[in-house]
Amino acid sequence: MKRLSLLAAFVMAVVIMLPGALRAEEYVIDTKKSHAFIEFKISHLGFSWILGRFNTFEGEFTFNEEDPAKSKVSVTIDTASVDTNLAERDKHLRSDEFLDVKKYPKANFKSTSIKLTGEDTAVIKGDFTLRGVTREIELNAKHIGAGKDPWGGFRRGFEGVTTFALHDYDMTYNLGPASKEIEIFISFEGLKKK
Amino acid sequence: MGQILGENVKSFVANALHWISAAVFVSTLSLGLYMTSLEFMHPWYNSAPDFHKSTGIAVFFLVAIRSVWRFFFIEPAPIPGGDWKRSVDPILHRGFYFLFFGITFCGYLIPTADGRGVEFFGLFEVPALFSYKEPQEEIAGTLHLSLVFLTLCLALLHTRINIRRCASKFKSLFKLSS
Ligand code: HEM
């Protein structure tokens, strides 16, 4: 009797979880082989752009084929990995005048809702925590493609853009009137979990 | 080799190197503290660090020449008397060479972490030999400042030990010239 009820519980658990597991595919963002980039762009005096990126981060997402709006994504960034191709500038960016990486070693994005805006586009809302401040941001996202890779895996890729003011995250260092906002571009490929 | 130059020349050069190094060191240090406090929009925001690196490299050369001079020609005279100062001062002297090389080397490791060389007053470029990226400029930066503070403390001790001898030398200089 005891065994039977255990078996019943197990079967029920499988029955309940299976459809969800089938519908929501789980992916890990492929940072190992670097098919994922978090880049940013900020004006230099209004004359040109400074481009930079975060070299170290990790993330995962679920993708719901039937109802993509139910998908979820989360990314965690090592703020110390900021790279603008100039060691002295990066050192300054890590200091407490900008990212304050000693105090806030991680930045984090977690989606809260997804609104489809076209066949392969969506607005992803989520909480972005940077420098200890959490605010809602909106990513304009695009599904780029998905399919089997030549090495036996299944991949799916997206890109997204968002803009926010440095001031929103308590970065008040004066870089001049043209450099108050930063644009973030993220592009990543997820490797489907087996 | 020691026979070629007279004692006066040897000690004059050694003294000159000592005081020039000390002056350039203190200027470089002050500039280092000043430049890191400059705002982005300040006219010297870019030029001050360039100048700091050049005068810092100058400290390196001055100390290098003085250590060669010391090795071949003349060592600082021991302090008269037999108290703690006499045993501590020679240790300080040797320590300063290591500290100066340490400070300038760590300073050099900051901007060269990304593979760029450092210019010496626009005359020539010291190439980047060690470029380990991300943690390099951070570790080097912390060491750079810590070694500067350590050196500053020891320099005060060094001054305390030698001030009397130095002052009496100055006095005799003035007596001679007047
Ligand atoms: C004896 C010579 C030197 C002294 C006394 C000295 C002193 C200093 C001081 C006090 C600072 C401020 C540190 C801080 O606020 O973190 C500084 C910063 C700096 N020094 Fe030097 N320095 C010397 C040589 C050099 C050399 C040779 C270089 C490079 C070739 C250099 C490159 C730098 C750089 C890039 C910074 C800025 C670090 C930052 O932005 O945090 N220094 N130095």
Side-chain angles (χ1 to χ4, degrees):
Chain A
M1 195 63 201
K2 207 173 174 188
R3 232 183 241 172
L4 205 66
S5 57
L6 251 170
L7 187 71
F10 178 72
V11 169
M12 259 168 69
V14 169
V15 167
I16 290 167
M17 280 159 64
L18 201 59
L22 281 180
R23 258 185 264 126
E25 305 164 349
E26 290 180 16
Y27 291 84
V28 54
I29 291 175
D30 187 16
T31 45
K32 265 195 193 139
K33 291 278 163 76
S34 190
H35 296 112
F37 299 86
I38 299 177
E39 318 229 299
F40 59 84
K41 175 169 129 173
I42 185 162
S43 172
H44 184 237
L45 304 168
F47 304 149
S48 74
W49 300 107
I50 289 174
L51 301 182
R53 64 184 193 202
F54 289 96
N55 288 327
T56 313
F57 57 96
E58 55 182 26
E60 45 186 27
F61 62 89
T62 60
F63 184 74
N64 196 313
E65 185 96 56
E66 281 172 17
D67 187 3
K70 283 193 181 136
S71 305
K72 287 193 168 83
V73 56
S74 69
V75 177
T76 302
I77 304 170
D78 277 2
T79 50
S81 71
V82 64
D83 180 359
T84 65
N85 189 25
L86 186 63
E88 287 177 87
R89 180 164 57 210
D90 296 343
K91 187 172 186 295
H92 192 196
L93 292 177
R94 286 186 208 105
S95 77
D96 57 6
E97 287 181 323
F98 289 96
L99 295 166
D100 202 356
V101 304
K102 280 218 185 93
K103 217 163 152 196
Y104 308 107
K106 303 273 181 200
N108 180 284
F109 176 79
K110 211 170 158 63
S111 67
T112 49
S113 73
I114 295 177
K115 209 177 98 197
L116 302 181
T117 53
E119 200 168 309
D120 49 9
T121 55
V123 172
I124 303 180
K125 274 191 188 175
D127 292 327
F128 184 48
T129 307
L130 178 64
R131 236 181 165 272
V133 179
T134 303
R135 279 173 163 267
E136 182 172 83
I137 59 168
E138 288 184 1
L139 273 164
N140 290 314
K142 186 168 184 260
H143 180 246
I144 304 173
K148 280 188 187 144
D149 64 28
W151 318 287
F154 189 91
R155 290 163 185 269
R156 185 180 294 283
F158 297 88
E159 65 182 20
V161 191
T162 189
T163 304
F164 56 80
L166 293 178
H167 193 92
D168 287 348
Y169 291 91
D170 291 350
M171 287 183 276
T172 51
Y173 189 89
N174 182 16
L175 292 168
S179 315
K180 296 204 180 302
E181 291 203 325
I182 186 164
E183 181 181 305
I184 304 227
F185 172 77
I186 174 166
S187 164
F188 60 79
E189 196 171 282
L191 195 55
K192 194 166 162 185
K193 286 185 192 169
K194 295 236 166 92
Chain B
M1 201 163 178
Q3 267 68 42
I4 306 167
L5 300 167
E7 289 304 315
N8 281 342
V9 178
K10 287 187 215 165
S11 68
F12 176 79
V13 173
N15 264 323
L17 284 170
H18 172 277
W19 289 107
I20 295 170
S21 314
V24 181
F25 170 72
V26 173
S27 320
T28 307
L29 196 162
S30 317
L31 185 56
L33 293 177
Y34 174 67
M35 75 187 189
T36 43
S37 73
L38 288 179
E39 285 178 13
F40 181 70
M41 290 295 174
H42 194 282
W44 296 349
Y45 182 81
N46 270 321
S47 53
D50 289 346
F51 202 66
H52 173 82
K53 290 171 209 162
S54 298
T55 58
I57 292 168
V59 172
F60 174 85
F61 286 132
L62 286 165
V63 174
I65 296 169
R66 187 170 144 100
S67 63
V68 168
W69 200 264
R70 175 196 165 110
F71 185 78
F72 284 114
F73 299 132
I74 189 169
E75 287 199 13
I79 293 170
D83 56 359
W84 62 274
K85 294 178 191 166
R86 195 184 168 92
S87 44
V88 167
D89 210 41
I91 302 172
L92 282 184
H93 292 173
R94 285 177 180 79
F96 282 134
Y97 291 103
F98 288 103
L99 285 168
F100 281 123
F101 290 133
I103 291 169
T104 47
F105 185 62
C106 287
Y108 158 82
L109 288 181
I110 302 171
T112 52
D114 57 25
R116 285 178 177 76
V118 216
E119 280 200 11
F120 180 70
F121 294 112
L123 295 175
F124 61 87
E125 193 184 80
V126 184
L129 298 176
F130 311 91
S131 302
Y132 295 100
K133 300 256 169 74
E134 187 191 317
Q136 180 175 320
E137 65 262 27
E138 296 296 322
I139 299 168
T142 309
L143 275 175
H144 189 55
L145 186 60
S146 316
L147 290 178
V148 166
F149 274 126
L150 180 60
T151 309
L152 204 56
C153 295
L154 294 179
L156 288 175
L157 182 62
H158 173 68
T159 311
R160 156 86 178 74
I161 290 174
N162 289 286
I163 189 115
R164 208 170 279 162
R165 185 160 62 141
C166 191
S168 65
K169 244 192 199 169
F170 255 109
K171 263 185 210 151
S172 64
L173 261 183
F174 276 108
K175 268 183 201 146
L176 276 180
S177 59
S178 59

